[in-house]
Amino acid sequence: MPGVFPQLRPGSRPRLVFTDLDGSLLDHHSYDWSPAVPWLGALKEAGIAVIPVTSKTRSELMPLRQALGLSHTPFIAENGGVVALPSAWCHAKREVVSGADGLVVKNLAVDIGLIRQRVMIWRERLGADFITMSEMSVSEVSAWTGLDEQSARLARLREGSEPLVWRDTEDRLTRFAEGLAGDGLHMTRGGRFWHVTGDIDKGRAVSWLCSRFEALRGTAPETLALGDGPNDIAMLEAVEAAVIIRGQHGLDIVLGQAGSGLGFPPRLYRTQASGPEGWAEGLSYFWGEEDKA
């Protein structure tokens, strides 16, 4: 990591960064994050937690958080369905370690078995044409995502969400989503897949984590979030400053559409660059030494 980091503008409160991964901190195609390394170093040096909030699984995130240098921070997996907490984010003697590396794992979502059961029932009722990730082979997951085979295997280890590739009409998609909604399930669109989850999203999980931080530390954090996809909208609406990173998927990101009731963030910036370059651009805009907000 470079010895010279970007200059961080001082803040009056503890800060938290919530970030999408694919297409944001990680390049959409190569999964490279090197353009973001200087800012990751600056935030780590300042003691600011960078918290991944992603559609990836907990199994995928365990090695990735080590590689990113984020092994001491929480993470939110499966679009808000799973939250993993290191010991510093836990109530003493009140929580039991339930994951690898000493993490306490909170499942905020519906059981994956129920999700898959209802997805199959509604496919049969509507005669809908789609394929779920659990139905794909490892090689098919690799082809859709660009992941290597080991990473693709980890991507299939779902706990609270089912990704799928829709191959039918928009009208049937609407009816499929309405049917799932009657079962208390929700559909959200990512950069590559539709994701079926329980009544949870990235924004609600972020709000839950912020409430926990305030309960443990006695002060509300200053919050910044960065994302590039429709499934990031609720997260971007749940923070004080939001960065919409220029996407490479052709999907329009408009806040106020998440249905979370959280409203608009008071400060919003859209980047010119995409991927980790856009990620660094967003950090520089809000928290760099020449704040333009």
Side-chain angles (χ1 to χ4, degrees), residues 53-288:
V53 186
T54 176
S55 60
K56 289 184 180 296
T57 65
R58 177 160 61 103
S59 296
E60 287 179 276
L61 280 166
M62 295 309 294
L64 183 57
R65 66 197 287 263
Q66 296 285 343
L68 288 166
L70 305 178
S71 58
H72 300 297
T73 68
F75 63 79
I76 297 170
E78 297 196 43
N79 287 311
V82 177
V83 181
L85 304 167
S87 59
W89 286 70
C90 297
H91 297 284
K93 299 182 180 180
R94 288 174 52 189
E95 292 169 311
V96 178
V97 172
S98 54
D101 289 355
L103 296 172
V104 169
V105 179
K106 302 285 188 179
N107 193 329
L108 307 183
V110 176
D111 178 73
I112 186 62
L114 175 61
I115 293 174
R116 287 172 176 163
Q117 179 188 56
R118 300 312 299 176
V119 164
M120 294 302 107
I121 286 173
W122 280 105
R123 175 160 66 183
E124 183 176 350
R125 286 181 182 177
L126 297 173
D129 182 18
F130 61 82
I131 183 171
T132 67
M133 183 178 284
S134 61
E135 295 173 314
M136 296 179 186
S137 66
V138 171
S139 60
E140 286 175 318
V141 173
S142 294
W144 274 104
T145 62
L147 297 170
D148 60 46
E149 285 201 0
Q150 176 58 23
S151 298
R153 288 190 181 91
L154 297 178
R156 296 176 77 249
L157 299 177
R158 318 301 297 187
E159 297 175 89
S161 67
E162 181 69 287
L164 60 86
V165 176
W166 188 259
R167 302 186 296 203
D168 214 315
T169 65
E170 288 294 320
D171 177 69
R172 193 162 283 159
L173 175 64
T174 298
R175 287 188 286 152
F176 181 69
E178 289 172 348
L180 291 174
D183 293 329
L185 302 178
H186 174 68
M187 287 188 72
T188 185
R189 189 168 188 176
R192 292 180 173 88
F193 298 96
W194 283 95
H195 300 264
V196 181
T197 70
D199 189 20
I200 189 68
D201 56 38
K202 288 185 176 185
R204 294 178 191 180
V206 164
S207 296
W208 184 89
L209 206 50
C210 287
S211 295
R212 166 159 292 229
F213 181 93
E214 185 172 0
L216 290 170
R217 308 294 173 85
T219 185
E222 180 183 352
T223 54
L224 170 66
L226 308 95
D228 78 313
N231 62 332
D232 297 318
I233 290 174
M235 172 183 71
L236 297 170
E237 292 179 350
V239 296
E240 295 171 332
V243 176
I244 298 178
I245 296 172
R246 182 178 181 181
Q248 298 186 6
H249 39 58
L251 302 174
D252 192 24
I253 311 302
V254 180
L255 300 193
Q257 306 297 311
S260 63
L262 296 171
F264 289 95
R267 304 164 74 196
L268 174 66
Y269 177 69
R270 292 178 181 268
T271 71
Q272 296 298 310
S274 60
E277 293 91 348
W279 194 90
E281 179 187 335
L283 260 298
S284 297
Y285 181 85
F286 278 123
W287 288 357

